[in-house]
Amino acid sequence: MITGIAFAVLLFIGAPIGIVLGLSAAAYIFASNNQVLLGSYPIQMFGGVENYGLLAIPLFLILGEIMNGAGITTRLIGLARAFVGTVRGGLAYINVLANALMASILGSAAAQIAIMSRVIVPEMDREGYDRRFSVATTASAGLLAPIIPPSMMFVVYAVLARVATGDMFLAGIIPGLMMTAGFFLVIFCVGLVSPFPAPRPLGWGDRLRLLRDGALTLLIPVVIIGSITTGVATATESAAVACVAAYLIGRFVTREFHDRDLPRMLLAAGRNAAVVLFMVATAAVFGWVLTFGKVPQDIAAWIQTIATGPVSFMLLVNFILLVIGTVIDGIPGLIMVVPILLPIATDIYGIDPVHFGVVVSINLVLGLVSPPVGIALFIAAAVTKMKPGQIFLWTIPYCVTTAVVLVLLSIFPALTLYLVR
């Protein structure tokens, strides 16, 4: 009881989720007056981050910093323009396609939405698109970042669930492509109701130039996914190799990367990685305390009275996580729910942990565009100087599409496990 009260109060006053988890666990220990638990507290925290796979988090953050400094972002947008730039509504399709390409490199929704809001929304304004639609499309397409590999959410889940990070990356490919195709369908349907502006002409010479400039940037996702699928490198090692590839491209191909910026990039990546790793450490303590207090067992008994099979369990989890995702960000939400729900999913309902991880991640990602928190809405609104409420209604079709993908994944596990197997 004391843990729940401490958790609710700290969350209500807006404390960082890492502090919420750590202090809630400490409240239980002090209330129980168990000296053994108290002595094990720092050991559990250290054990939570004592995992080789977590090295991928700072490496992917460094990769994102180098990619931005190397001018790779603009070239990825140009590459998308070469493919769909002459279609009516082409810039909207470019928005989604460029986000999908960037998702295979960045792995962070917040960073991706901030970048794309600055780059492509002004371009869509110049061509006459409704600004609310432009910003909503940018915010929604940013949801692809934590799903299409590499993904920091998948790295954290792999550590929590003790599964291979490479398996999580492979499992995210088909769901990511399904979401991309669904977003294309939304854009097509919007264009039928409200015709888009005619696209600017793009000659074959310009198209070939964009393809030439952007083609080499695809080397980075090829290095990441290719090295994992062929067994040449682990997910962590592939992130390190991708950092080197991005540096070389920025230094000698695009020639926009400057060595003097590297210390600043390393500091920014280290600061962001420290926040994530602190949450992982406190989550280890929180999950340990919950297990000691038999909370998962009690929740499992309640769920079994409602869910009679794997599909009904997954649909129930979808509903619960959609609610949680509206108030808690992706990785913190993941850290909170996995220690409780994963044992129920695997031990009672026989659900593959990799499949469960993909569904949980997409669920929590959907909360990025859902009020009252909706961090994706706030980031896109802040960058484009709009109000989140103006954007939300235009994100609903994308949210519905993502929900349909979730239901399909819940019913057909093979959609996530095919490439893994």
Side-chain angles (χ1 to χ4, degrees):
M1 178 64 73
I2 187 67
T3 305
I5 294 173
F7 182 88
V9 170
L10 290 168
L11 198 64
F12 179 76
I13 65 176
I17 192 66
I19 301 295
V20 173
L21 295 173
L23 291 182
S24 299
Y28 176 85
I29 293 173
F30 284 114
S32 63
N33 197 28
N34 190 320
Q35 297 301 313
V36 175
L37 290 181
L38 184 62
S40 301
Y41 189 99
I43 297 173
Q44 292 295 329
M45 282 193 71
F46 180 77
V49 293
E50 192 184 18
N51 190 295
Y52 171 74
L54 287 174
L55 279 174
I57 291 176
L59 287 172
F60 281 126
L61 288 169
I62 292 169
L63 175 61
E65 293 287 339
I66 295 175
M67 189 192 81
N68 293 336
I72 295 175
T73 302
T74 55
R75 282 165 174 78
L76 285 174
I77 294 174
L79 187 64
R81 180 183 286 276
F83 285 113
V84 293
T86 56
V87 178
R88 183 172 286 275
L91 266 183
Y93 293 108
I94 289 171
N95 195 334
V96 173
L97 184 57
N99 268 286
L101 293 173
M102 285 181 62
S104 65
I105 299 173
L106 271 180
S108 168
Q112 185 162 312
I113 291 166
I115 293 168
M116 293 298 289
S117 296
R118 285 194 298 266
V119 174
I120 202 165
V121 171
E123 189 73 17
M124 295 180 75
D125 287 343
R126 282 191 287 271
E127 291 204 9
Y129 288 81
D130 187 305
R131 189 173 179 82
R132 295 168 300 172
F133 169 76
S134 303
V135 179
T137 301
T138 305
S140 301
L143 303 185
L144 296 171
I147 305 304
I148 295 179
S151 162
M152 282 190 290
M153 284 190 73
F154 285 171
V155 173
V156 172
Y157 176 84
V159 171
L160 294 173
R162 293 182 173 84
V163 298
T165 306
D167 287 350
M168 290 301 302
F169 284 179
L170 291 175
I173 293 176
I174 292 177
L177 294 176
M178 290 172 64
M179 288 175 63
T180 303
F183 290 172
F184 279 168
L185 181 61
V186 169
I187 294 170
F188 176 78
C189 293
V190 170
L192 294 178
V193 177
S194 177
F196 295 121
R200 289 186 298 178
L202 185 66
W204 280 105
D206 292 333
R207 185 169 296 192
L208 290 174
R209 177 181 57 79
L210 293 172
L211 287 170
R212 181 199 64 205
D213 292 343
L216 198 57
T217 62
L218 293 179
L219 176 65
I220 299 173
V222 169
V223 165
I224 295 171
I225 303 302
S227 60
I228 293 173
T229 54
T230 58
V232 174
T234 65
T236 304
E237 293 162 349
S238 70
V241 174
C243 286
V244 175
Y247 172 81
L248 294 175
I249 292 173
R251 193 76 173 80
F252 301 108
V253 179
T254 66
R255 298 185 179 181
E256 295 183 24
F257 185 86
H258 303 287
D259 287 340
R260 64 176 179 271
D261 296 328
L262 194 55
R264 175 185 57 78
M265 294 177 179
L266 293 174
L267 181 61
R271 187 166 53 243
N272 292 330
V275 173
V276 176
L277 293 176
F278 177 71
M279 287 192 296
V280 173
T282 54
V285 177
F286 188 72
W288 167 65
V289 166
L290 289 180
T291 302
F292 190 85
K294 297 184 179 180
V295 173
Q297 294 90 323
D298 294 340
I299 294 177
W302 173 74
I303 287 179
Q304 283 183 282
T305 63
I306 301 174
T308 57
V311 174
S312 58
F313 169 76
M314 291 299 288
L315 294 177
L316 177 63
V317 167
N318 282 338
F319 176 76
I320 294 172
L321 295 184
L322 285 174
V323 175
I324 293 175
T326 61
V327 293
I328 299 176
D329 198 5
I331 290 179
L334 194 73
I335 288 170
M336 285 175 48
V337 302
V338 168
I340 298 173
L341 294 179
L342 180 62
I344 302 172
T346 56
D347 298 342
I348 297 177
Y349 293 98
I351 296 170
D352 190 285
V354 173
H355 170 231
F356 184 73
V358 173
V359 173
V360 168
S361 297
I362 296 177
N363 252 295
L364 294 172
V365 161
L366 188 55
L368 293 174
V369 292
S370 304
V373 176
I375 189 170
L377 294 179
F378 283 96
I379 292 173
V383 173
T384 58
K385 294 180 173 56
M386 293 188 69
K387 294 180 179 179
Q390 295 176 294
I391 307 169
F392 171 64
L393 290 177
W394 289 80
T395 65
I396 291 176
Y398 297 106
C399 293
V400 171
T401 301
T402 305
V404 170
V405 171
L406 271 174
V407 172
L408 291 175
L409 295 177
S410 300
I411 297 174
F412 304 107
L415 293 172
T416 55
L417 299 177
Y418 177 76
L419 293 180
V420 179
R421 290 173 177 169

